[in-house]
Amino acid sequence: MAFALSDMHLESSAFEAHDAIPSRYTGEGDDVSPALSWRDAPEGTKGYAVICHDPDAPLVQHGSYGFVHWLLYNLPGSTTSLAEGTSDGTSGKNDFGKIGYGGPMPPEGHGVHHYYFWVLALDKPTDLPEGLGLEELLKQLEPHLLGMNRLIGTYRRG
């Protein structure tokens, strides 16, 4: 993923940065996406995408590492928040092989994993089809990336 860290600020009412993600938002709980909100997007932002990725997962595929839990795109530039369990935007395919959000569920005994919730600010709105994987999504978004930032939460199974 191209790296264009910006002054955008991403937060959640569900957990603080670097704190544990409540089980409600995990595969051991209700498996719903947490509420997210952001501010201070780069000038000229006309669209957004959201990605949740676990770089601690012991999975290597397509020349990348980690596990993709959520791909959400086609969010208009007027969007500055997502409600818990949102149905906004268009969902991509996560590494569970499903469309939409799949919460944290690290292998048992694998310790604490870090979950990176990224918001990507884009210079144009998108109208991409449902079900894109991370590689194809980034191929479409990277030429339009103005800036991005992340919120990191943690989870340990059990």
Side-chain angles (χ1 to χ4, degrees):
M1 178 164 39
F3 194 72
L5 200 58
S6 72
D7 291 332
M8 222 173 3
H9 182 78
L10 175 62
E11 60 189 5
S12 176
S13 57
F15 61 95
E16 296 292 323
H18 303 285
D19 280 354
I21 297 170
S23 63
R24 172 171 172 69
Y25 307 102
T26 74
E28 293 187 293
D30 295 332
D31 209 13
V32 295
S33 61
L36 299 173
S37 62
W38 55 90
R39 64 180 186 276
D40 302 325
E43 188 172 327
T45 297
K46 298 197 171 37
Y48 294 100
V50 172
I51 296 170
C52 179
H53 176 256
D54 170 9
D56 299 323
L59 176 66
V60 176
Q61 61 182 1
H62 311 297
S64 187
Y65 65 95
F67 196 91
V68 175
H69 285 265
W70 194 23
L71 300 172
L72 187 66
Y73 44 93
N74 297 340
L75 295 167
S78 58
T79 303
T80 58
S81 65
L82 297 170
E84 177 181 291
T86 188
S87 60
D88 292 351
T90 302
S91 293
K93 186 182 282 189
N94 61 42
D95 283 341
F96 291 110
K98 298 179 179 176
I99 301 295
Y101 179 81
M105 188 74 161
E108 288 205 38
H110 207 257
V112 174
H113 280 221
H114 296 80
Y115 296 86
Y116 286 62
F117 288 83
W118 291 94
V119 63
L120 286 67
L122 309 169
D123 68 1
K124 72 173 208 127
T126 57
D127 187 22
L128 300 170
E130 181 180 73
L132 295 180
L134 180 62
E135 186 176 6
E136 181 60 27
L137 179 62
L138 292 179
K139 181 179 167 186
Q140 297 294 323
L141 298 182
E142 281 183 332
H144 304 287
L145 188 60
L146 291 174
M148 57 200 286
N149 219 322
R150 68 199 178 278
L151 170 65
I152 302 169
T154 63
Y155 190 72
R156 177 195 304 259
R157 191 164 171 192

